[in-house]
Every structure is written in C-alpha cells, then in structure tokens.
Amino acid sequence: IDLEFVVREGQPARIRKVIVTGNSKTREYVIRRELRIQPGDLFSNAELRNSQGDLFRLGFFNDVRVDFRESDSPEEIDLVFDVEEKQTGQFMFGMAYSAETALSGFIQVAETNFRGRGQNLGLTWQFGSRRRYVDISFTEPWFLGTPTLIGFDIYSRYSNTVQDFYDTRTQGFAVRLGRPIPGTRFTRGTLRYKYNRTTLSNFDPSY
C-alpha cells in the first residue's frame, strides 16, 4: 500500500500565560527572569529548550518539566514550568594535624540560593594555633533586576608555620562586577578590584 500524509499548517500559536509551579523556596521572579519565552511571544521550541536548560544551570532544581495547557483561543496556549527543588545549602567541618600547622580545623557554610533569591553566600573559618583565617563572600547575580552581577569578598588571614620565622597577617577585600557579553549565551565579562594589607611581625632573631 501507499501512504500519503497531508499536513495543513495553521497560524503559529502565541503564549498566553507562563505558569510556574513546584517552587516552595525559590522566589518566582528568580525563575521567570531566566525564561527566554514570555507571554505574547510566538511559540518557539528552541527558546523553550533554552529556557529549560538555563533553569537547570542555576543548580537549584533536580528537574524542570514543561507542560502545555489549552486556552479559550486555538491560537493561544499556556506554558507550565514545573520545578522540583533540591537542597542548595552546604555545611562542612573537619579537623587535622600536621607537623607544619599543628592541630587545626575548619568550618565551611555555603548557600547558593540564599533566601530563595538566587544569591550566593559563603563563610569559611579555619582555626588553629599556626594558621587562622575567615573568608566571607556574597554574590548577587541580578542587581536591580538586570543581569548585572555584583559581589564582594572579605577576608582576614594569619599564618606562622614551622618554616616561617615571622607572623603573617593579611586583611583585605575584593569587589566584582560582571555583565553578559551581547550576542553570547554563556560568556560574561567581569571586572574585579582587590585590596589587601599584609603585616609581618614577631621576627625570630635566630634566623
């Protein structure tokens, strides 16, 4: 037998609504700002896949499912992005001993979706008799509702290992500013300014 398929294309459908479900922690605007397809746009499968991929790359979700709902008009459809959130906070600690640094320990806390706003907050504290430091970092990827990244780091570090004949203390900060490069999807230009002050003290005269 011969089979013949006749396809008659209609008008491209437009997006009437974009609905977000499944998010209990992440703010809805954090999800919507990553979408490349918005209400009123003509439906585009490529932009739909790009939106789904961008949501995955945030690192906040185990799964991002897309569904379609019919509207009252055959020329319009509703899109549903159903997300499954995952744990984004981290807590680590440990203890160690070596001849160089003696007994030391560390505590590290990180949250990549701070307050559900997509912000990144980190704290690292290392303690010991020969080496101590505290690092605090914060990043806002969308400053004032624009894809402008701002961030800062504040740190204070002390070191005196067995090879050193003096104490080293370093205190400082760094600020970051970044923007996506027009015409690219995964490239960002970033400016970084760093300032620190290092003090050497308690020199051992035997050296």
Side-chain angles (χ1 to χ4, degrees):
I1 62 173
D2 295 332
L3 292 179
E4 181 179 357
F5 293 90
V6 179
V7 178
R8 180 177 299 171
E9 292 186 345
Q11 293 296 322
R14 286 192 176 273
I15 307 303
R16 188 185 68 157
K17 292 181 181 179
V18 176
I19 303 168
V20 177
T21 62
N23 55 312
S24 58
K25 174 184 177 181
T26 307
R27 308 292 179 96
E28 187 168 318
Y29 70 84
V30 173
I31 298 173
R32 289 186 177 275
R33 69 192 183 189
E34 299 294 332
L35 301 181
R36 297 177 176 270
I37 190 166
Q38 300 293 337
D41 293 347
L42 285 175
F43 176 78
S44 169
N45 195 46
E47 294 298 343
L48 180 62
R49 290 197 305 269
N50 290 338
S51 299
Q52 194 174 16
D54 289 344
L55 289 177
F56 268 117
R57 276 184 286 275
L58 289 176
F60 305 158
F61 310 113
N62 284 319
D63 195 10
V64 178
R65 295 175 292 271
V66 180
D67 196 7
F68 303 91
R69 293 181 183 175
E70 294 183 358
S71 67
D72 297 333
S73 171
E75 297 179 355
E76 293 181 322
I77 59 171
D78 295 339
L79 283 182
V80 180
F81 287 86
D82 183 33
V83 299
E84 180 185 330
E85 294 181 312
K86 68 179 182 181
Q87 180 66 41
T88 56
Q90 294 182 346
F91 176 79
M92 295 183 291
F93 69 93
M95 300 290 293
Y97 177 84
S98 69
E100 179 181 1
T101 61
L103 183 65
S104 64
F106 76 92
I107 295 176
Q108 185 173 5
V109 181
E111 173 58 73
T112 58
N113 190 14
F114 182 57
R115 300 185 300 169
R117 301 175 184 267
Q119 300 164 337
N120 193 318
L121 179 67
L123 169 65
T124 302
W125 175 34
Q126 180 170 327
F127 50 89
S129 59
R130 292 186 175 273
R131 183 175 293 171
R132 298 187 293 272
Y133 67 78
V134 176
D135 285 13
I136 301 174
S137 66
F138 176 81
T139 303
E140 167 59 74
W142 280 72
F143 182 61
L144 297 179
T146 67
T148 302
L149 179 148
I150 63 169
F152 66 84
D153 304 283
I154 302 174
Y155 52 89
S156 177
R157 300 168 183 171
Y158 165 82
S159 175
N160 184 344
T161 63
V162 293
Q163 290 87 0
D164 298 332
F165 58 92
Y166 53 82
D167 293 349
T168 302
R169 296 182 184 272
T170 301
Q171 295 177 320
F173 68 91
V175 293
R176 304 182 301 279
L177 177 66
R179 286 277 299 184
I181 296 178
T184 66
R185 286 196 60 206
F186 307 110
T187 307
R188 181 190 299 271
T190 304
L191 294 175
R192 186 170 186 262
Y193 174 80
K194 182 178 180 180
Y195 170 84
N196 63 54
R197 180 180 63 183
T198 300
T199 304
L200 307 181
S201 61
N202 295 333
F203 289 87
D204 190 338
S206 63
Y207 286 85

Tab-separated table of all heavy atoms in Angstrom, residues 12-13 33-34 41 48 51 55 58 66 75-76 94 121 123 143 146 148 154 170 178 186 190 206:
chain	number	residue	atom	x	y	z
A	12	PRO	N	0.841	30.134	13.724
A	12	PRO	CA	1.682	29.828	14.892
A	12	PRO	C	0.987	30.271	16.180
A	12	PRO	O	0.369	31.342	16.226
A	12	PRO	CB	2.949	30.641	14.635
A	12	PRO	CG	2.974	30.883	13.157
A	12	PRO	CD	1.536	31.001	12.756
A	13	ALA	N	1.072	29.447	17.184
A	13	ALA	CA	0.428	29.753	18.459
A	13	ALA	C	1.243	30.785	19.229
A	13	ALA	O	2.482	30.799	19.166
A	13	ALA	CB	0.276	28.481	19.283
A	33	ARG	N	12.952	35.295	35.444
A	33	ARG	CA	13.981	36.095	34.777
A	33	ARG	C	14.926	35.244	33.934
A	33	ARG	O	15.681	35.778	33.120
A	33	ARG	CB	14.768	36.904	35.810
A	33	ARG	CG	15.661	36.084	36.728
A	33	ARG	CD	16.148	36.916	37.879
A	33	ARG	NE	17.064	36.175	38.755
A	33	ARG	CZ	17.488	36.630	39.933
A	33	ARG	NH1	17.061	37.802	40.383
A	33	ARG	NH2	18.328	35.914	40.664
A	34	GLU	N	14.908	33.935	34.120
A	34	GLU	CA	15.747	33.054	33.314
A	34	GLU	C	15.038	32.569	32.050
A	34	GLU	O	15.677	31.972	31.181
A	34	GLU	CB	16.176	31.829	34.136
A	34	GLU	CG	16.988	32.154	35.378
A	34	GLU	CD	18.342	32.758	35.057
A	34	GLU	OE1	18.870	32.447	33.962
A	34	GLU	OE2	18.868	33.526	35.884
A	41	ASP	N	4.704	36.094	23.208
A	41	ASP	CA	5.655	35.629	22.189
A	41	ASP	C	5.025	34.522	21.351
A	41	ASP	O	4.168	33.764	21.823
A	41	ASP	CB	6.928	35.098	22.844
A	41	ASP	CG	7.732	36.181	23.531
A	41	ASP	OD1	7.429	37.373	23.298
A	41	ASP	OD2	8.654	35.839	24.301
A	48	LEU	N	12.124	27.450	24.129
A	48	LEU	CA	11.622	26.648	25.235
A	48	LEU	C	12.728	25.761	25.799
A	48	LEU	O	12.917	25.682	27.014
A	48	LEU	CB	10.442	25.802	24.765
A	48	LEU	CG	9.795	24.889	25.812
A	48	LEU	CD1	9.224	25.706	26.958
A	48	LEU	CD2	8.717	24.029	25.175
A	51	SER	N	15.237	27.909	27.677
A	51	SER	CA	14.726	28.299	28.990
A	51	SER	C	14.863	27.162	29.986
A	51	SER	O	15.277	27.361	31.136
A	51	SER	CB	13.259	28.728	28.878
A	51	SER	OG	13.114	29.849	28.023
A	55	LEU	N	17.340	27.119	33.412
A	55	LEU	CA	16.865	26.827	34.762
A	55	LEU	C	17.666	25.706	35.401
A	55	LEU	O	17.993	25.759	36.597
A	55	LEU	CB	15.383	26.462	34.724
A	55	LEU	CG	14.406	27.607	34.426
A	55	LEU	CD1	12.984	27.088	34.342
A	55	LEU	CD2	14.502	28.692	35.484
A	58	LEU	N	21.039	26.836	36.867
A	58	LEU	CA	21.054	27.558	38.137
A	58	LEU	C	21.554	26.673	39.278
A	58	LEU	O	22.115	27.171	40.256
A	58	LEU	CB	19.638	28.061	38.471
A	58	LEU	CG	19.086	29.211	37.622
A	58	LEU	CD1	17.645	29.493	38.027
A	58	LEU	CD2	19.935	30.456	37.780
A	66	VAL	N	8.089	20.703	31.567
A	66	VAL	CA	7.296	21.673	30.811
A	66	VAL	C	6.015	21.000	30.349
A	66	VAL	O	6.038	19.883	29.825
A	66	VAL	CB	8.080	22.227	29.607
A	66	VAL	CG1	7.225	23.229	28.836
A	66	VAL	CG2	9.379	22.880	30.057
A	75	GLU	N	-5.524	29.749	19.004
A	75	GLU	CA	-4.266	30.362	18.578
A	75	GLU	C	-3.381	30.722	19.762
A	75	GLU	O	-2.321	31.325	19.583
A	75	GLU	CB	-4.563	31.625	17.749
A	75	GLU	CG	-5.322	31.327	16.462
A	75	GLU	CD	-5.634	32.578	15.682
A	75	GLU	OE1	-5.340	33.683	16.200
A	75	GLU	OE2	-6.169	32.472	14.566
A	76	GLU	N	-3.797	30.363	20.978
A	76	GLU	CA	-3.011	30.670	22.174
A	76	GLU	C	-2.895	29.425	23.044
A	76	GLU	O	-3.806	28.599	23.099
A	76	GLU	CB	-3.659	31.790	22.981
A	76	GLU	CG	-3.655	33.151	22.296
A	76	GLU	CD	-4.288	34.200	23.177
A	76	GLU	OE1	-5.284	33.873	23.873
A	76	GLU	OE2	-3.819	35.344	23.158
A	94	GLY	N	35.858	19.923	59.726
A	94	GLY	CA	36.877	18.890	59.843
A	94	GLY	C	38.008	19.324	60.755
A	94	GLY	O	38.153	20.510	61.084
A	121	LEU	N	25.962	32.964	49.109
A	121	LEU	CA	26.596	33.398	50.354
A	121	LEU	C	27.496	32.286	50.863
A	121	LEU	O	27.087	31.121	50.895
A	121	LEU	CB	25.535	33.746	51.401
A	121	LEU	CG	26.047	34.200	52.771
A	121	LEU	CD1	26.760	35.552	52.660
A	121	LEU	CD2	24.889	34.299	53.773
A	123	LEU	N	30.777	31.250	53.832
A	123	LEU	CA	31.602	31.557	55.000
A	123	LEU	C	32.560	30.400	55.233
A	123	LEU	O	32.138	29.242	55.301
A	123	LEU	CB	30.729	31.773	56.240
A	123	LEU	CG	31.464	31.846	57.587
A	123	LEU	CD1	32.373	33.073	57.645
A	123	LEU	CD2	30.486	31.842	58.755
A	143	PHE	N	21.510	42.336	39.787
A	143	PHE	CA	21.440	43.558	40.573
A	143	PHE	C	20.390	44.497	39.981
A	143	PHE	O	20.414	44.795	38.779
A	143	PHE	CB	22.813	44.236	40.601
A	143	PHE	CG	22.871	45.485	41.422
A	143	PHE	CD1	22.608	45.445	42.778
A	143	PHE	CD2	23.179	46.705	40.838
A	143	PHE	CE1	22.652	46.595	43.547
A	143	PHE	CE2	23.231	47.858	41.589
A	143	PHE	CZ	22.962	47.802	42.950
A	146	THR	N	18.469	43.547	36.733
A	146	THR	CA	19.195	43.451	35.466
A	146	THR	C	20.235	42.342	35.586
A	146	THR	O	20.672	42.022	36.699
A	146	THR	CB	19.892	44.778	35.120
A	146	THR	OG1	20.949	45.022	36.070
A	146	THR	CG2	18.903	45.933	35.157
A	148	THR	N	23.152	42.019	35.875
A	148	THR	CA	24.421	42.589	36.329
A	148	THR	C	24.840	41.887	37.606
A	148	THR	O	24.108	41.910	38.602
A	148	THR	CB	24.290	44.100	36.583
A	148	THR	OG1	23.852	44.755	35.399
A	148	THR	CG2	25.626	44.689	37.018
A	154	ILE	N	35.418	39.394	51.752
A	154	ILE	CA	36.137	39.993	52.874
A	154	ILE	C	36.914	38.873	53.558
A	154	ILE	O	36.356	37.804	53.813
A	154	ILE	CB	35.175	40.667	53.866
A	154	ILE	CG1	34.339	41.742	53.170
A	154	ILE	CG2	35.940	41.285	55.031
A	154	ILE	CD1	33.267	42.341	54.058
A	170	THR	N	47.205	39.013	56.924
A	170	THR	CA	46.692	39.648	55.708
A	170	THR	C	45.213	39.919	55.881
A	170	THR	O	44.445	39.022	56.227
A	170	THR	CB	46.907	38.755	54.476
A	170	THR	OG1	48.321	38.491	54.327
A	170	THR	CG2	46.402	39.433	53.222
A	178	GLY	N	30.041	42.190	36.935
A	178	GLY	CA	30.015	41.423	35.691
A	178	GLY	C	28.738	41.652	34.902
A	178	GLY	O	27.686	41.952	35.464
A	186	PHE	N	26.760	32.182	27.068
A	186	PHE	CA	27.455	31.651	28.230
A	186	PHE	C	28.727	32.431	28.572
A	186	PHE	O	29.570	31.932	29.315
A	186	PHE	CB	27.828	30.177	27.998
A	186	PHE	CG	26.654	29.324	27.598
A	186	PHE	CD1	26.546	28.824	26.312
A	186	PHE	CD2	25.659	29.027	28.501
A	186	PHE	CE1	25.470	28.040	25.936
A	186	PHE	CE2	24.572	28.250	28.140
A	186	PHE	CZ	24.482	27.748	26.854
A	190	THR	N	33.848	40.367	33.370
A	190	THR	CA	33.877	40.674	34.794
A	190	THR	C	35.052	41.586	35.114
A	190	THR	O	36.171	41.364	34.636
A	190	THR	CB	33.987	39.388	35.637
A	190	THR	OG1	32.913	38.505	35.304
A	190	THR	CG2	33.941	39.700	37.124
A	206	SER	N	66.923	34.418	65.749
A	206	SER	CA	67.879	33.328	65.500
A	206	SER	C	68.101	33.076	64.022
A	206	SER	O	69.060	32.443	63.616
A	206	SER	CB	67.388	32.051	66.162
A	206	SER	OG	66.161	31.629	65.616
